[in-house]
Amino acid sequence: MHRGYQNITPANNKVLKKLWDDTRYNQHRTNILFAEGRIDNAAPKTYMHLHLKLKKLQMEEERLATVERDNRILLHKMSHVMRTKGTVDNHIDNKYIHKSLNKIKRQREL
């Protein structure tokens, strides 16, 4: 059995060299049997702070709160108009004094 063995590297004792080569080959075959793939086929990690977008939710809540507040103010104004006679309040009764911007200049010219 060891007489027909052709070792690749030189050795003084062919029997021991065959034993060592067989041991190394069996270890190699065992390693091959239990080998696992090195390619990562798993899905990438999902980070919740990238999907949840808390700032966007906060901005949306603030916008909705502003709309609700404006609606409440408008409703209050409309109910006030409905309760009262609903007159136009765009004129001020004799509280505005007309004054000219160039009144002093005209007086100097006279």
Side-chain angles (χ1 to χ4, degrees), residues 55-94:
K55 185 65 176 180
K56 186 175 181 181
L57 291 174
Q58 179 187 5
M59 299 276 287
E60 184 69 20
E61 276 185 27
E62 289 174 359
R63 189 182 69 80
L64 289 175
T66 305
V67 168
E68 285 292 325
R69 185 178 57 85
D70 291 344
N71 285 345
R72 212 174 321 111
I73 291 170
L74 284 173
L75 183 63
H76 178 70
K77 287 180 180 179
M78 287 173 54
S79 66
H80 177 70
V81 167
M82 296 300 281
R83 278 185 277 124
T84 60
K85 58 183 179 175
T87 58
V88 179
D89 61 348
N90 63 353
H91 66 287
I92 301 171
D93 299 327
N94 296 329

Side-chain angles (χ1 to χ4, degrees), residues 3 12 15 26 29 33 50 52-53 68 76 82 84 86 102 105:
R3 290 182 189 257
N12 292 336
V15 175
N26 289 335
R29 294 302 297 172
L33 284 175
L50 296 176
L52 192 54
K53 301 190 189 309
E68 285 292 325
H76 178 70
M82 296 300 281
T84 60
N102 59 359
K105 184 177 177 185

